[in-house]
């Protein structure tokens, strides 16, 4: 038998805890400032805005200040005890009581509902949803009453038919709290900013498609016939045959789509785009934090985590509160953190081992393909394509294993507060996932084909020759690897978000057993059949990794932002449907920004500038072509022949060519050193120009809009008057014609 306990906080308790927790109460209402730049543009152009719609139960916006019971008469609605506190505030107050109440001995840290849940005294503790999310057939507002908050969000947000509409952020915040509201605000803002990046990337790709006929290098390759006999891609003694450069005509032609002058422009554009996006998100964050009364929110004295207090060995006095509380020695925690770091290093080494295994797989698979005359021209494509799929499977499997390991490690490290715990977990998981997802791409982009040697002096590993770039160069292979990993990851994640919650929900209902369906279930019974809300960690991690894909390696794959945009349109609806229909209602939490994730995004934006500079300089053919045009021929006539060196005499059974800038004896040519100097100069110039312009953008775009500063000053003035025992506030409010 399952027993349910429904909790209620009376008015006096609500007032006491609202004052103790520093909740804010309304002083004066004013028009809701929610607006979108696209709405302003369309209004200026006098064009209809199909993205806008009237959402019912739109929350009002207020000037607010911290609640004081003694000043209750100063607040709007202070005489309405039933509706004065919002539902989310009631949830937060009840959770505060549950989380801080002692149920046993304090010395044993028998405190809070989280400890009781951990010990399985209770099987769940959750706020109730407002009601069913479905709207009844033949719904009549006059007869059935207004829609509840859950129905409003389902009808105007979570349904797939609303994919092109603005998100009702105020309603989301009103129902789920600021932390979840901030997440969906960021996701929507990021998705909107992907539109220009995706459009420019598509046009760059289209430009390459339309100008393929002007690709002189591809024409020279395709028309070469049997002019350029190429050296075997592996040792002659194991059966690798000579081949002709014209065999890879189609791949050289396709590579132009990803290695063309527009790519350089797009890399610069995305570098500026990323920094500008982050600067304007700061402004959006400031507006939302003020609008949602989180501007001054800080975890000044956060309670210790239940897991922390339950495992601490002794008590010590808190220097701030003066109260004895569970304490874990810093020296012991430092030793555990070092041990955790060692485990992370071991896991990263494991990733590198798997990457080497994938490289060996690619080499070993390509050998029989090159030996087969039928598959010779497609050998490199088949080997790299299949290895990318294998790599994706390994990446996803390792990622899941490590996330569970990182959680256990972070729990073992005994961090005192939930904020410290989450920051350490985010750091661990992101560092590993960065290496896990990006290492194979970094290898192809920056290392593959750079240290292969030359005929007679090849670099070997485990008896096998180092990989070299084939079929149009490493950039097309990088684009292929990036597309498989990024798009494949998105498909797998979306399938998981679509299927796994339904399977978990079915299992939860099956586990609870069947009952008489003719009798309607109470709200708490229906909510108990939903799955537990797992928070926002996985959602943020997925989007931040995606941000890295579309910025760090965008020079190799201009269509990446387009695929990200299409994915995010789905992601918003999947997440919305999950929160509304499939999970229990989470406790409303306050937040004024996206936390440590913003720091990670800034680091990725800076890294993207360096990465794209090196990709253009050392992986693409942009600078070799440019230097050849300057030295020899602006029409690139003879360029293909110029890039091919002759194998040193006597090293192979037949004379053959290989791609490198070397003299007939194998030594580096003068052109190689000139090109190296140009490449390094390009990297330095690119980085200084982009970083300099980014600094200018940072200076020109203030973090807080000017109009918002006026509102903040106005609110502070009203709060000062409200908390002072004067009648001035009445005159001020009346003079402004409040709503």
């Amino acid at each position: 038998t399952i027993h349910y306990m429904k909790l209620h906080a009376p008015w006096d308790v609500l007032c006491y805890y609202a004052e103790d927790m520093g909740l804010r109460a309304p002083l004066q209402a004013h028009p809701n400032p929610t607006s979108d730049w696209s709405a302003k543009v369309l209004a200026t152009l006098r064009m209809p805005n199909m993205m806008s719609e009237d959402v019912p139960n739109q929350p009002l916006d207020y000037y607010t200040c911290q609640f004081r019971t003694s000043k209750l008469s100063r607040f709007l609605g202070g005489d309405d005890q039933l509706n004065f506190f919002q539902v989310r505030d009631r949830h937060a107050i009840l959770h505060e009581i549950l989380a801080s109440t002692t149920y046993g001995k304090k010395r044993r840290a028998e405190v809070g509902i989280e400890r009781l849940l951990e010990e399985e005294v209770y099987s769940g503790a959750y706020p109730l949803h407002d009601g069913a999310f479905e709207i009844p057939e033949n719904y009549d507002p006059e007869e059935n009453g207004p829609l509840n908050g859950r129905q409003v969000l389902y009808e105007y947000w979570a349904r797939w038919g609303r994919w092109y509409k603005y998100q009702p952020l105020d309603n989301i915040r009103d129902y789920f709290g600021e932390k979840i509201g901030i997440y969906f605000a960021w996701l929507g803002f990021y998705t909107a900013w992907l539109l220009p990046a995706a459009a420019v990337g598509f046009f760059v790709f289209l430009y390459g498609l339309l100008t393929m006929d002007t690709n002189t290098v591809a024409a020279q390759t395709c028309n070469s016939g049997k002019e350029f006999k190429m050296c075997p891609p592996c040792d002659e003694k194991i059966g690798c045959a000579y081949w002709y450069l014209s065999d890879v005509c189609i791949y050289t032609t396709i590579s132009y789509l990803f290695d063309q002058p527009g790519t350089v422009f797009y890399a610069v554009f995305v570098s500026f785009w990323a920094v500008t996006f982050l600067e304007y998100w700061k402004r959006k964050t400031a507006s939302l934090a003020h609008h949602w009364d989180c501007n001054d929110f800080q975890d000044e004295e956060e309670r210790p985590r239940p897991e922390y207090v339950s495992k601490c060995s002794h008590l010590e006095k808190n220097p701030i509160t003066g109260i004895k509380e569970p304490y874990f020695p810093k020296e012991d925690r430092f030793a555990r953190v070092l041990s955790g770091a060692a485990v992370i290093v071991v896991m990263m080494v494991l990733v590198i081992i798997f990457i080497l295994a994938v490289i060996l797989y690619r080499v070993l698979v390509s050998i029989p393909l090159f030996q087969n005359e039928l598959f010779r021209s497609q050998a490199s494509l088949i080997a790299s394509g299949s290895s990318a799929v294998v790599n994706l499977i390994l990446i996803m499997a390792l990622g899941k294993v490590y996330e569970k390991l990182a959680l256990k490690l972070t729990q073992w490290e005994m961090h005192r507060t939930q904020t410290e715990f989450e920051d350490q977990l985010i750091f661990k998981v992101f560092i590993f996932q960065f290496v896990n997802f990006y290492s194979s791409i970094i290898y192809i982009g920056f290392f593959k084909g750079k240290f292969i040697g030359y005929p007679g002096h090849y670099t070997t590993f485990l008896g096998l020759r180092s990989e070299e770039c084939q079929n149009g160069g490493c950039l097309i292979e990088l684009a292929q690897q990036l597309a498989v990993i990024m798009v494949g990851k998105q498909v797998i994640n979306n399938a998981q978000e679509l299927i796994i919650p339904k399977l978990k929900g079915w299992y939860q209902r099956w586990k609870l057993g069947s009952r008489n369906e003719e009798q309607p279930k109470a709200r708490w019974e229906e909510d108990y059949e939903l799955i537990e809300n797992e928070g926002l960690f996985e959602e943020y991690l997925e989007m931040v990794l995606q941000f890295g894909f579309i910025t760090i390696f965008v020079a190799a794959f201009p269509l990446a932002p387009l695929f990200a945009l299409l994915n995010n349109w789905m992601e918003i609806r999947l997440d919305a449907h999950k929160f509304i229909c499939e999970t229990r209602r989470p406790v409303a939490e306050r937040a004024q920004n996206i936390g440590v994730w913003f720091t990670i995004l800034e680091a990725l934006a800076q890294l993207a500038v360096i990465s794209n500079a090196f990709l253009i300089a050392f992986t693409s053919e942009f600078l070799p072509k440019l230097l050849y045009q300057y030295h020899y021929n602006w029409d690139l006539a003879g360029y293909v022949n110029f890039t091919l060196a002759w194998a040193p005499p006597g090293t192979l059974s037949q004379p053959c060519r290989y791609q490198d800038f070397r003299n007939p004896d194998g030594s580096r040519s003068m052109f190689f050193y000139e090109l190296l100097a140009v490449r390094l100069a390009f990297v330095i110039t690119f980085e200084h120009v982009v970083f300099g312009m980014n600094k200018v953008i940072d200076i020109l775009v203030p973090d807080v809009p000017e109009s918002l500063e006026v509102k903040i000053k106005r609110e502070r003035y009203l709060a000062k008057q409200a908390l002072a025992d004067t009648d001035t506030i009445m005159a001020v409010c009346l003079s402004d014609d409040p709503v």
Side-chain angles (χ1 to χ4, degrees):
T1 303
I2 299 174
H3 299 276
Y4 297 90
M5 286 179 286
K6 185 178 179 182
L7 305 183
H8 165 72
W11 171 253
D12 292 340
V13 173
L14 291 173
C15 290
Y16 173 81
Y17 277 93
E19 190 166 340
D20 183 63
M21 294 168 61
L23 298 184
R24 301 181 72 87
L27 292 171
Q28 175 185 343
H30 60 85
N32 197 315
T34 302
S35 62
D36 195 274
W37 65 268
S38 58
K40 295 177 182 178
V41 171
L42 293 173
T44 304
L45 298 175
R46 300 181 182 276
M47 296 175 63
N49 187 357
M50 68 175 185
M51 296 176 287
S52 179
E53 65 178 337
D54 293 326
V55 179
N57 305 346
Q58 187 77 6
L60 288 174
D61 193 35
Y62 300 97
Y63 290 121
T64 65
C65 72
Q66 284 197 1
F67 177 78
R68 293 287 185 272
T69 307
S70 60
K71 310 294 182 184
L72 186 61
S73 60
R74 307 293 194 196
F75 298 110
L76 289 180
D79 55 348
D80 184 4
Q81 295 185 3
L82 186 62
N83 299 308
F84 181 76
F85 290 105
Q86 300 288 333
V87 174
R88 66 175 184 276
D89 293 333
R90 293 171 179 268
H91 290 167
I93 289 170
L94 281 168
H95 185 263
E96 173 73 15
I97 295 170
L98 290 174
S100 57
T101 300
T102 303
Y103 64 85
K105 294 183 178 180
K106 252 190 176 181
R107 288 187 177 182
R108 296 181 181 177
E110 293 175 338
V111 179
I113 187 65
E114 298 295 334
R115 177 80 186 273
L116 291 170
L117 290 171
E118 187 181 348
E119 294 178 353
E120 298 184 352
V121 176
Y122 293 99
S123 57
Y126 48 89
L128 298 181
H129 280 292
D130 284 355
F133 62 84
E134 304 97 336
I135 297 178
E137 293 184 12
N138 305 319
Y139 168 74
D140 183 4
E142 295 183 0
E143 181 180 342
N144 302 101
L147 299 175
N148 65 49
R150 193 182 185 194
Q151 289 171 330
V152 169
L153 288 176
Y154 176 74
E155 180 66 22
Y156 294 91
W157 179 49
R159 290 175 56 234
W160 287 98
R162 293 291 190 268
W163 67 270
Y164 61 95
K165 298 292 186 181
Y166 296 135
Q167 295 187 91
L169 294 177
D170 286 338
N171 296 75
I172 297 170
R173 175 255 183 168
D174 203 48
Y175 194 80
F176 289 114
E178 290 81 10
K179 191 170 187 178
I180 291 176
I182 284 282
Y183 165 71
F184 282 104
W186 176 79
L187 182 56
F189 189 82
Y190 170 48
T191 303
W193 270 74
L194 280 173
L195 278 167
V200 174
F202 176 76
F203 284 117
V204 167
F205 183 81
L206 189 63
Y207 167 79
L209 199 62
L210 295 175
T211 57
M212 284 180 70
D213 294 339
T214 65
N215 185 7
T216 307
V217 175
Q220 292 176 25
T221 301
C222 295
N223 297 330
S224 62
K226 296 188 176 183
E227 179 181 356
F228 304 120
K229 179 185 284 188
M230 306 299 293
C231 298
C234 53
D235 292 341
E236 287 183 280
K237 60 184 179 182
I238 61 174
C240 279
Y242 293 84
W243 56 287
Y244 293 98
L245 192 62
S246 57
D247 294 344
V248 295
C249 165
I250 183 65
Y251 305 110
T252 306
T253 304
I254 294 174
S255 69
Y256 179 76
L257 297 174
F258 306 99
D259 191 359
Q260 36 123 338
T263 304
V264 181
F265 160 76
Y266 193 53
V268 177
F269 170 83
V270 169
S271 299
F272 290 149
W273 170 87
V275 173
T276 310
F277 157 67
L278 294 176
E279 288 300 318
Y280 275 92
W281 170 244
K282 288 182 188 176
R283 292 168 61 90
K284 181 70 172 178
T285 301
S287 298
L288 285 174
H290 175 261
H291 178 39
W292 291 348
D293 299 323
C294 293
N295 233 0
D296 300 322
F297 170 71
Q298 291 179 347
D299 293 324
E300 295 177 356
E301 185 50 37
E302 196 174 356
R303 283 191 315 275
R305 297 173 60 247
E307 295 86 348
Y308 173 85
V309 297
S310 66
K311 296 175 182 177
C312 285
S313 55
H314 59 281
L315 300 175
E316 276 203 13
K317 184 183 291 187
N318 187 315
I320 298 174
T321 63
I323 300 172
K324 282 192 173 184
E325 61 179 38
Y327 177 77
F328 192 80
K330 291 183 179 179
E331 299 79 11
D332 295 347
R333 180 184 299 114
F334 182 71
R336 293 191 177 193
V337 170
L338 284 181
S339 301
V343 173
I344 296 174
V345 172
V346 170
M347 289 298 295
M348 288 183 181
V349 171
L350 186 62
V351 171
I352 302 301
I353 291 172
F354 276 112
I355 295 300
L356 292 175
V358 171
I359 293 171
L360 290 174
Y361 162 85
R362 191 160 48 227
V363 172
L364 293 173
V365 167
S366 62
I367 290 173
L369 291 173
F370 270 110
Q371 292 172 343
N372 190 307
E373 189 174 349
L374 180 63
F375 294 106
R376 187 170 299 156
S377 59
Q378 292 87 20
S380 184
L381 182 66
I382 295 172
S384 60
S386 60
S387 67
V389 174
V390 171
N391 190 38
L392 174 63
I393 295 171
L394 291 173
I395 284 172
M396 299 300 289
L398 273 176
K400 290 299 179 185
V401 170
Y402 179 77
E403 284 180 21
K404 295 185 182 299
L405 177 61
L407 178 62
K408 295 295 182 184
L409 278 174
T410 312
Q411 290 172 339
W412 182 65
E413 289 171 1
M414 295 291 289
H415 297 285
R416 179 179 175 273
T417 65
Q418 187 65 25
T419 300
E420 293 173 358
F421 176 84
E422 289 180 356
D423 287 350
Q424 287 295 322
L425 180 61
I426 288 169
F427 175 76
K428 284 185 179 66
V429 174
F430 179 77
I431 289 294
F432 175 79
Q433 294 289 39
F434 182 90
V435 175
N436 191 26
F437 276 95
Y438 299 151
S439 55
S440 61
I441 303 174
I442 291 172
Y443 163 72
I444 293 174
F446 302 112
F447 297 101
K448 185 178 179 181
K450 304 295 189 296
F451 311 101
I452 58 175
Y454 60 96
H457 297 82
Y458 283 118
T459 305
T460 59
F461 178 73
L462 297 178
L464 298 171
R465 271 170 46 182
S466 297
E467 286 188 293
E468 55 184 295
C469 300
Q470 297 287 344
N471 296 354
C474 274
L475 206 63
I476 187 173
E477 190 174 336
L478 178 60
Q480 179 190 31
Q481 185 88 355
L482 187 61
V484 170
I485 292 177
M486 177 184 167
V487 179
K489 176 181 177 297
Q490 291 178 350
V491 170
I492 292 173
N493 284 339
N494 286 337
Q496 287 177 337
E497 290 195 35
L498 191 64
I499 297 171
I500 290 179
K502 296 186 184 301
L503 293 177
K504 284 184 176 180
W506 172 84
Y507 176 72
Q508 175 78 351
R509 290 188 293 273
W510 174 81
K511 188 170 62 173
L512 294 174
S514 60
R515 52 160 286 179
N516 189 356
E517 296 296 336
E518 294 180 359
Q519 297 179 2
K521 295 179 183 178
R523 179 76 264 145
W524 44 87
E525 291 181 290
E526 291 192 6
D527 284 6
Y528 187 63
E529 291 182 353
L530 300 175
I531 63 175
E532 189 175 351
N533 192 292
E534 296 179 348
L536 298 170
F537 178 81
E538 289 291 341
E539 315 300 338
Y540 273 120
L541 180 63
E542 180 184 353
M543 290 297 103
V544 169
L545 287 172
Q546 181 199 88
F547 183 82
F549 280 124
I550 68 169
T551 53
I552 298 177
F553 307 104
V554 76
F557 191 42
L559 293 179
L562 178 61
F563 285 108
L565 176 64
L566 297 175
N567 172 79
N568 288 7
W569 272 332
M570 291 186 62
E571 183 72 23
I572 291 174
R573 302 308 141 191
L574 285 171
D575 288 347
H577 190 272
K578 180 174 67 176
F579 275 87
I580 292 295
C581 306
E582 295 169 341
T583 67
R584 298 171 189 167
R585 188 174 184 175
V587 176
E589 296 182 64
R590 301 182 72 195
Q592 64 184 116
N593 50 47
I594 62 175
V596 71
W597 294 111
F598 184 81
T599 305
I600 294 174
L601 290 172
E602 282 190 312
L604 289 176
Q606 302 298 318
L607 182 61
V609 177
I610 301 171
S611 172
N612 285 312
F614 276 92
L615 278 177
I616 294 169
F618 288 92
T619 305
S620 79
E621 289 289 310
F622 174 72
L623 291 181
K625 289 177 182 177
L626 200 63
L627 189 60
Y628 180 85
Q629 287 176 315
Y630 174 76
H631 271 301
Y632 300 103
N633 196 315
W634 284 101
D635 295 331
L636 289 175
Y639 175 76
V640 172
N641 181 56
F642 183 79
T643 60
L644 300 176
W646 285 98
T651 54
L652 295 171
S653 60
Q654 302 179 35
C656 60
R657 313 289 294 273
Y658 64 100
Q659 291 184 324
D660 206 346
F661 297 108
R662 291 183 182 271
N663 297 317
D665 61 353
S667 62
R668 298 288 190 182
S669 66
M670 184 57 66
F671 186 86
F672 170 83
Y673 293 105
E674 291 181 18
L675 179 59
L676 180 61
V678 170
R679 282 171 165 165
L680 294 175
F682 175 84
V683 169
I684 295 171
T685 304
F686 184 94
E687 290 178 0
H688 279 68
V689 169
V690 175
F691 281 136
M693 291 298 295
N694 289 348
K695 190 64 178 177
V696 171
I697 293 171
D698 187 14
I699 295 171
L700 294 179
V701 181
D703 293 348
V704 180
E706 186 177 348
S707 59
L708 179 58
E709 289 182 348
V710 175
K711 287 183 180 179
I712 293 173
K713 291 177 182 177
R714 171 68 174 167
E715 186 169 40
R716 287 175 180 168
Y717 174 74
L718 290 175
K720 182 180 178 181
Q721 295 295 329
L723 297 179
D725 196 9
T726 68
D727 294 328
T728 309
I729 185 64
M730 303 305 297
V732 172
C733 291
L734 292 173
S735 66
D736 279 2
D737 297 323
V739 176

